[in-house]
Amino acid sequence: MTIETTMPPEKPTSIWSFFTRGVSTLSTVGRALMLPISILPAAGLLLAFGDKLDIPLMVGAGDVIFSNLPLLFAVGAAVGLTKESGIAALAAVIAMLVMNMTIGVHAGVTQEMALAGGAYALVLGIPSLQMGVFGGLIAGVLAANMYNRFHTIQLPAFLGFFSGKRFVPIVTAFSAFLLGLILPSIWIYVQGGIDGMSEIVNGSNQALSTFVFGFTERALIPLGLHHIWYPTFWFSFGEHTTAAGELINGDQTIWFKMLADGVKDFSSESYQGAGKFMQGEFPLMLFALPAACLAMYHEAKTKNKKFAAGILFSAALTCFLTGITEPVEFTFIFVSPLLYLFNALCTGFAYMFMYLLDAHLAKSFSAGFIDYITLGIMPASSGFDTKPFAAVIVGVPMAIMYYFTFRFVIRKFNVQTPGRTDELQEEITLSDEQLTKLTLDFVGGRDNLTSVTSCITRLRLEVKDVSLINDKGLQDIGAMGVIHVGSHGVQIVYGAKAQFVADRINNH
């Protein structure tokens, strides 16, 4: 039930080594993105309920979050990449201010140029380049890097007050100044690449674009790299100019801006079909994966039905309500490559068919029943053209196909999904304290860990010696998957308990 991507010791300079280091780096960035993205449900709910209840103040409260995503990504990335939230967050804000002020003055961006949109924008009131969330991510990564390098620095005695953590905001400010001088000459090429990709994915064959998006997102689930894939589509690709002349980028940001502005067909002259890179998962979460859970339950051994029911029905309910799929997907993607590929392909087709049905649903974070009601049915009842019933049209046939495909593949190839082993299985019930202690035992102890964080369902570790990791022991205490990323990264899928285990380890 594991996937190994560690470097073969006999080929330390091989292409495989380069690949695993790249995966490890991307995984770290993906982890950092999770914190700012996790804020979005609050914004989505404020906008949805504000529109439905006709409370402009509530709509504005939700809209202001989406309008300041670069700042949220700066702070979130800095916090996610360091152990000291307060200093890192402060340094990230300083980086945002200094970097953008330097860019604006050095590149000669005026207030009028920023208000005209295009390549320029007002960032925290500062005329600067239009870098969107990438600008925030750059500032956050810079702040995190400065913190990790200098938070223990010792200066001469006469400068002792500025030693340690107090030095971090200072060095971050100077680094952001230098970065602001460099970025204008580099960003023009980066922006050109983003614009080129945006034209492709929002071009004449958007049905294909939505398929590729959905397939790739699901295919990257095992390594946790889907968090790297979708933010560009959500926050950068595509552009919409509001009636007030404000330029908005990214499918999700555009959808919520259209909701706030009352654009009920979710289309404009410059952007057609907002929601196309979000809505394809509703058929999967609401219908297909719960049906897969039912199929796996029916294929469990009779003596293990109770054990399988405890795992699968809880996972199905979590998937249905919240759209968190890993508890379901990790029961089969590592034990059956065929089902893993089937799931990724079907997700791609779900995105394509939702687009072809001209649906315009959105998700604030995950496409569960909560988002389906608040961002599908509620806007539709107010006249917005979300077409929520499209999820049923696509989802019901998918559920039938998933149920019978899973039963056939599991039985044909004896896939070891929950409850399929010959020995009697019983549900594991451990307190967070017990789970933390056993986890430390199976990862080589606290001294073997250099970094401990978590995302929604995964405990993300950086270890000194990966050979000390006991995958089987971790699975025996309830891990749904153990993923080796690079030569030092380990991800342990614990479900909702992951964040509590991470907190206990860090306080150990």
Side-chain angles (χ1 to χ4, degrees):
M1 198 173 174
T2 65
I3 180 169
E4 295 282 348
T5 60
T6 52
M7 179 179 64
E10 68 277 9
K11 296 182 180 180
T13 60
S14 65
I15 295 176
W16 182 252
S17 173
F18 176 79
F19 169 75
T20 56
R21 284 198 298 270
V23 169
S24 181
T25 301
L26 288 174
S27 179
T28 301
V29 175
R31 180 191 73 201
L33 291 175
M34 282 306 301
L35 184 57
I37 289 174
S38 67
I39 299 169
L40 299 181
L45 290 174
L46 284 169
L47 276 167
F49 281 100
D51 172 74
K52 184 61 181 175
L53 300 175
D54 194 22
I55 305 177
L57 181 60
M58 187 177 288
V59 172
D63 190 33
V64 75
I65 295 177
F66 283 101
S67 298
N68 289 282
L69 284 178
L71 177 62
L72 297 179
F73 270 76
V75 174
V79 171
L81 292 172
T82 62
K83 296 180 181 179
E84 177 61 48
S85 299
I87 299 298
L90 175 62
V93 174
I94 291 171
M96 279 289 290
L97 294 171
V98 173
M99 183 181 76
N100 282 288
M101 178 60 74
T102 306
I103 288 172
V105 174
H106 181 58
V109 184
T110 65
Q111 187 88 2
E112 292 73 21
M113 292 165 64
L115 290 173
Y120 309 105
L122 285 176
V123 182
L124 303 178
I126 303 169
S128 183
L129 293 175
Q130 171 62 277
M131 296 187 290
V133 297
F134 286 110
L137 186 60
I138 291 170
V141 171
L142 174 67
N145 186 265
M146 293 300 103
Y147 174 85
N148 291 331
R149 284 175 177 268
F150 298 111
H151 75 282
T152 59
I153 191 172
Q154 294 185 5
L155 299 176
F158 66 93
L159 293 174
F161 177 81
F162 300 105
S163 295
K165 295 175 182 177
R166 291 191 183 96
F167 185 71
V168 174
I170 298 172
V171 70
T172 300
F174 281 98
S175 300
F177 173 75
L178 295 175
L179 187 60
L181 294 175
I182 298 170
L183 268 177
S185 59
I186 297 175
W187 188 256
I188 184 173
Y189 301 105
V190 177
Q191 189 63 55
I194 293 173
D195 291 343
M197 287 298 298
S198 180
E199 289 181 11
I200 292 173
V201 302
N202 292 292
S204 59
N205 199 343
Q206 295 185 41
L208 178 60
S209 296
T210 51
F211 172 83
V212 171
F213 173 82
F215 171 80
T216 305
E217 184 189 30
R218 262 19 244 176
L220 292 174
I221 283 283
L223 294 176
L225 297 182
H226 55 303
H227 299 309
I228 295 291
W229 173 252
Y230 65 77
T232 308
F233 292 82
W234 282 16
F235 307 123
S236 295
F237 288 164
E239 63 179 38
H240 159 66
T241 304
T242 68
E246 182 182 3
L247 183 67
I248 308 296
N249 295 103
D251 190 53
Q252 188 186 61
T253 318
I254 291 172
W255 192 97
F256 279 104
K257 189 62 178 179
M258 288 180 171
L259 177 69
D261 290 348
V263 181
K264 297 193 172 183
D265 61 356
F266 289 106
S267 291
S268 67
E269 185 176 342
S270 57
Y271 193 81
Q272 301 296 314
K276 58 195 169 192
F277 296 118
M278 296 183 285
Q279 62 192 0
E281 290 182 5
F282 283 103
L284 187 74
M285 314 306 189
L286 300 180
F287 299 97
L289 287 178
C293 287
L294 182 61
M296 287 186 280
Y297 169 75
H298 283 155
E299 289 301 322
K301 305 288 186 180
T302 302
K303 61 184 176 183
N304 290 325
K305 289 283 189 183
K306 183 178 179 181
F307 167 78
I311 293 177
L312 294 169
F313 292 159
S314 173
L317 183 61
T318 299
C319 176
F320 178 83
L321 287 178
T322 68
I324 297 174
T325 63
E326 289 184 350
V328 178
E329 290 175 311
F330 275 67
T331 62
F332 66 83
I333 59 177
F334 292 139
V335 295
S336 176
L338 186 60
L339 290 177
Y340 161 65
L341 179 61
F342 170 78
N343 185 53
L345 285 170
C346 285
T347 303
F349 282 116
Y351 270 94
M352 176 189 287
F353 292 144
M354 290 291 285
Y355 169 77
L356 293 174
L357 288 172
D358 196 30
H360 304 291
L361 281 77
K363 59 179 182 177
S364 59
F365 176 70
S366 54
F369 187 69
I370 296 172
D371 273 358
Y372 182 68
I373 295 295
T374 56
L375 303 177
I377 291 178
M378 283 174 50
S381 67
S382 298
F384 286 89
D385 192 25
T386 58
K387 293 187 176 67
F389 196 67
V392 180
I393 296 174
V394 177
V396 170
M398 278 185 67
I400 296 171
M401 185 166 58
Y402 264 63
Y403 177 79
F404 287 106
T405 299
F406 268 69
R407 292 204 68 174
F408 172 79
V409 172
I410 290 170
R411 186 174 300 183
K412 176 72 174 177
F413 299 101
N414 193 27
V415 178
Q416 296 298 293
T417 48
R420 287 285 295 175
T421 59
D422 290 328
E423 63 269 17
L424 178 65
Q425 294 178 282
E426 296 181 358
E427 187 175 358
I428 301 169
T429 55
L430 297 172
S431 67
D432 291 347
E433 184 176 355
Q434 291 172 320
L435 183 60
T436 302
K437 182 182 182 303
L438 290 169
T439 298
L440 285 172
D441 290 341
F442 292 130
V443 297
R446 185 65 180 86
D447 291 341
N448 192 40
L449 305 179
T450 59
S451 173
V452 181
T453 58
S454 67
C455 59
I456 302 171
T457 60
R458 305 183 192 210
L459 182 65
R460 293 174 178 254
L461 309 175
E462 290 292 323
V463 301
K464 298 174 183 176
D465 186 355
V466 74
S467 68
L468 297 179
I469 305 299
N470 185 339
D471 294 355
K472 179 65 167 58
L474 291 167
Q475 292 166 13
D476 288 343
I477 62 173
M480 290 169 276
V482 181
I483 311 159
H484 292 250
V485 183
S487 55
H488 296 284
V490 179
Q491 299 175 10
I492 307 171
V493 183
Y494 275 144
K497 287 191 173 185
Q499 60 179 316
F500 303 111
V501 175
D503 290 342
R504 285 181 176 273
I505 292 177
N506 283 322
N507 294 328
H508 188 269

